[in-house]
Amino acid sequence: MTNHILVIVNTTGRQGASLARVASAVGYNVRAHITTKLSDKDGAVAKELRELKDIEIIQGSLEDQKLVSRLFIGARQAFINTISLGDEVAIGKVLADAAKKAGVQHYVYSSMPDHAVFGRGWPSLPLWSCKFTVENYIRQIGLPATFVYTGIYNNNFTSLPYPLFCMKLQPSGGFLWTAPFHPDQPIPWLDAEHDVGPAVLQIFKDGLQKWSGHRIGLAYQLLTPKEVCAAFSRGLRRPCSYKRGPVTIEVPIPSGYRAQLEGIEELFGKHEAPYFGPEIQAPDEALGLWEGYRGMEEYAREVFPLEEAANGLTWMH
């Protein structure tokens, strides 16, 4: 048990919610930042956050510097996963400055690589390069920190017509996943809701003596697209196949995400670049943090049908 204050930014996201539930369960005082007021429309995550013990919810925009300055007062540890609402670089820098001023002792930042820095003609992904810029700023100001790079969420898959991870239901009752990845290229995967919390909590327990300034590839399986579909086939007991093809956009999406998808198609489809770049390996360090991960087959069997039903789909009945 501990009375330490742990700040979590973006607690309604998959990463933040995972850490909040685990940290609360073992006795941390969680100071949970959310952008908008919790309501029943936010679903199970909102209900769960309200019911956690020892949790203080702070709601407001991260562009409000007064809110940010209060966020870290008395906190020893912080987990930061910013999202693309507003100027993510400016927000990331303000958060880091406030944490340093408040004396936060261990700052875990959810970052991602900027592939352009490797000098191989790879493009930057706009929603990742801003995180890498903030990571460099955190290093420059001397904030004691660790950086986690998350693999693709298992939870991204849906049979709804969203781009890149649509498991399209077929007339036969099976599924077809179409994406630009090479069918035999290993890709890192992570069940964010299940596994981020225990892993990050272990990073805090190990402390800076082990993880100061370190980048950790937070992913528990390296699976090719064909292996992902094989895991879905076993988990669902339905045929699932993969087809390499361009990203198709069938629903309205923000312009920033459109640029991200175009970059993904070039970076991983055309160039077949390693997901984390050439310097970060997975899953060994992640497994050293937490061995009880939920793999793709278990996700497909136990979670995917529930998430689909929550979205109003009925194919599982």
Side-chain angles (χ1 to χ4, degrees), residues 95-145:
L95 286 166
D97 288 338
K100 185 177 182 182
K101 183 177 181 180
V104 170
Q105 297 176 19
H106 195 172
Y107 193 85
V108 176
Y109 179 72
S110 185
S111 188
M112 286 304 280
D114 181 353
H115 283 74
V117 305
F118 298 114
R120 304 190 184 186
W122 296 337
S124 294
L125 297 182
L127 300 185
W128 290 9
S129 59
C130 57
K131 295 181 182 294
F132 188 74
T133 298
V134 173
E135 175 186 332
N136 286 333
Y137 181 77
I138 292 167
R139 294 179 184 277
Q140 289 165 10
I141 66 172
L143 181 60

Side-chain angles (χ1 to χ4, degrees), residues 95-235:
L95 286 166
D97 288 338
K100 185 177 182 182
K101 183 177 181 180
V104 170
Q105 297 176 19
H106 195 172
Y107 193 85
V108 176
Y109 179 72
S110 185
S111 188
M112 286 304 280
D114 181 353
H115 283 74
V117 305
F118 298 114
R120 304 190 184 186
W122 296 337
S124 294
L125 297 182
L127 300 185
W128 290 9
S129 59
C130 57
K131 295 181 182 294
F132 188 74
T133 298
V134 173
E135 175 186 332
N136 286 333
Y137 181 77
I138 292 167
R139 294 179 184 277
Q140 289 165 10
I141 66 172
L143 181 60
T146 305
F147 306 94
V148 293
Y149 284 48
T150 57
I152 300 176
Y153 297 178
N154 300 352
N155 321 74
N156 283 347
F157 285 110
T158 176
S159 66
L160 294 171
Y162 296 137
L164 196 58
F165 296 105
C166 174
M167 281 283 185
K168 189 171 184 179
L169 185 63
Q170 302 297 293
S172 64
F175 292 92
L176 174 66
W177 176 31
T178 302
F181 307 110
H182 190 285
D184 296 313
Q185 180 178 8
I187 303 169
W189 297 92
L190 168 71
D191 192 303
E193 290 188 353
H194 189 269
D195 298 322
V196 168
V200 172
L201 198 64
Q202 189 61 48
I203 292 170
F204 285 131
K205 289 179 179 179
D206 290 344
L208 292 165
Q209 62 269 28
K210 183 170 185 179
W211 300 116
S212 179
H214 197 76
R215 295 176 178 136
I216 299 171
L218 197 56
Y220 286 91
Q221 289 182 297
L222 287 176
L223 300 175
T224 68
K226 291 195 296 187
E227 289 171 333
V228 168
C229 287
F232 261 77
S233 295
R234 295 190 300 271

Side-chain angles (χ1 to χ4, degrees), residues 54-69:
D54 299 323
I55 187 166
E56 173 192 5
I57 295 176
I58 295 181
Q59 179 262 323
S61 170
L62 293 175
E63 295 180 317
D64 180 347
Q65 294 198 16
K66 290 183 179 180
L67 180 145
V68 171
S69 66

